[in-house]
Amino acid sequence: MRPADRADMHQLLTPADYRRVPWKNGGGRTLEIACEPPGAGTAAFVWRVSVADIERDGPFSAFPGVDRTLVLLEGNGMRLSSGSGAVDVRTAYEPVRFPGESAPDCALVDGPTRDFNLMVRRGKARGDVLVVREAARVVEPARTRICYAAAGACACRVAAHAPIAVPSGHALLVTAPPGAAVPALSVAPAGDGAVALVAVVHDGGGAP
């Protein structure tokens, strides 16, 4: 993936820009949409946004010190079990959060799934995933926001720029250099059934 243009503060990423990388535990591969710093490995990223296909039961990779948010995109879901209990992930576009060190066992409900993932390294960043569907939404200010067109297209408005069309499966990376004003961002689904997922990443480990 080519690095974002920090002067423009936004960049449309196509599937050709994504990077296919192996899972940390070797059990599969993930499609990395963006990460900071660009090209960082699993031990060095501050944050990472990706899409993964899970084709069989097995354990998730362990990511000590990393907070994870997972969103089911396709498939009938899964059951995640760890020492702290179990959670069913069966509803599409409903974020599920868990600590990376829990490394839960994954049992697929009925066939493979595709999932959107946000990972942030605790103490260096904090993040959340917003689901935008049915109506436009203004996204909270943050140093980094990644809008992924999960189903259908969406339209993004970045302050002082013309509207940006984000086709299905593409992503818009919006950043602000240190010390610069954070640009306003709004996201609108482009049609019935369209859904956008916006990963919002703040610097540091405290409250936003």
Side-chain angles (χ1 to χ4, degrees), residues 9 21 37 39 56 65 98 124-125 164-165 169-170 176 183 203 205:
M9 296 191 296
V21 296
R56 59 184 181 274
F98 58 95
K124 293 187 176 181
I164 302 163
H170 293 54
D203 295 334

Side-chain angles (χ1 to χ4, degrees), residues 94-110:
E94 187 173 283
V96 175
R97 300 166 183 83
F98 58 95
E101 50 266 65
S102 67
D105 286 320
C106 170
L108 296 173
V109 172
D110 182 17

Side-chain angles (χ1 to χ4, degrees), residues 170-183:
H170 293 54
L172 182 70
L173 173 62
V174 181
T175 60
V182 175

Side-chain angles (χ1 to χ4, degrees), residues 11 16 19 22 24 68 71 75 89 104 110 124 136 153 169 173 178 182 202:
Q11 180 185 6
R19 196 168 66 112
K24 186 179 177 184
R68 302 190 61 171
V71 184
V89 184
D110 182 17
K124 293 187 176 181
L173 173 62
V182 175
H202 297 273

